[in-house]
Amino acid sequence: MKLEFETFSPEETIALGERIGACLKGGEIIAYKGGLGMGKTTFTRGLAAGMGLDAHVSSPTFAIVNEYSGGDLTLYHFDMYRISSYEALESTGFYDYISKRSVICVEWSENTEGMLDENMIIGFSGDGDHRKITVESAADLDIM
Ligand SMILES: Nc1ncnc2c1ncn2[C@@H]1O[C@H](COP(=O)(O)OP(=O)(O)OP(=O)(O)O)[C@@H](O)[C@H]1O
Ligand SMILES: [Mg+2]
C-alpha cells in the first residue's frame, strides 16, 4: 500500500509518526528517503511515542544507531550518513538487530541502497514548514 500525507509543522509530522508507530507490529525495516532537514528525526520522535516508548529521540549521526527500549517492541534508529559500503553497514550490527520484536528505521538509506531489505519506505520532501510524506508498506497498515 502507498499513502500520501502532508504536514505543515514539526508537530504535525510528530503526530503522523505517532499514528504510524501505533500500528507497527514488529519486524518492520523502514527506509527513510529525503535530504537534510526534511524531518526524518522529527518523524521518528512521533514513531517512538506511537510505539509506547518514552524515549528522548535525537539524531544518531554520531552514534550511527540509537536504541529505544522499554516497550513491547524495541526501536533501532540508524543514520547511514557516513556509511556507504556493505562492510561498514555490517559492522554497525544492522543485520543483528532484525527481529520480530524490533522495528528498525534508517535515515540516509540512500547510502545503503539495496542492502537493507526494507519492507517500508517513507519519503520526505517539501520546503518551509510544508512536508509531503509518503508511506509505502509491504504489509497493510491499520492507520487510525
Ligand atoms: N512540517 C514539518 N515537519 C518536520 N519538520 C519540519 C516541518 N516544518 C519545519 N520543520 C523543521 O525542519 C527540521 C527537520 O529536522 P530533522 O532533524 O527532523 O530532519 P532530518 O531529515 O532528520 O535531517 P538530517 O538529514 O540532517 O538528519 C526541523 O528544524 C523542523 O523544525
Ligand atoms: Mg536526522
Side-chain angles (χ1 to χ4, degrees), residues 27-124:
E28 288 85 3
I29 300 173
I30 307 172
Y32 292 147
K33 313 267 182 199
L36 215 59
M38 278 298 123
K40 304 176 293 293
T41 299
T42 302
F43 177 89
T44 305
R45 243 163 236 148
L47 199 77
M51 289 173 64
L53 299 168
D54 180 23
H56 174 75
V57 172
S58 60
S59 175
T61 305
F62 297 102
I64 309 286
V65 57
N66 289 340
E67 175 178 340
Y68 306 113
S69 55
D72 293 341
L73 303 173
T74 299
L75 176 63
Y76 296 97
H77 179 198
F78 276 86
D79 190 331
M80 301 307 183
Y81 194 70
R82 294 179 298 159
I83 302 291
S84 55
S85 69
Y86 179 80
E87 289 68 29
L89 173 62
E90 202 175 26
S91 75
T92 66
F94 175 82
Y95 296 106
D96 304 322
Y97 292 117
I98 298 172
S99 139
K100 285 200 169 66
R101 312 298 309 156
S102 72
V103 170
I104 301 177
C105 62
V106 183
E107 299 198 26
W108 292 96
S109 69
E110 291 91 340
N111 285 350
T112 50
E113 195 85 62
M115 301 179 209
L116 300 180
D117 200 23
E118 67 267 15
N119 44 34
M120 203 182 292
I121 299 173
I122 303 187
F124 299 83

Side-chain angles (χ1 to χ4, degrees), residues 120-132:
M120 203 182 292
I121 299 173
I122 303 187
F124 299 83
S125 60
D127 50 35
D129 287 343
H130 174 240
R131 298 289 183 275
K132 195 175 117 188

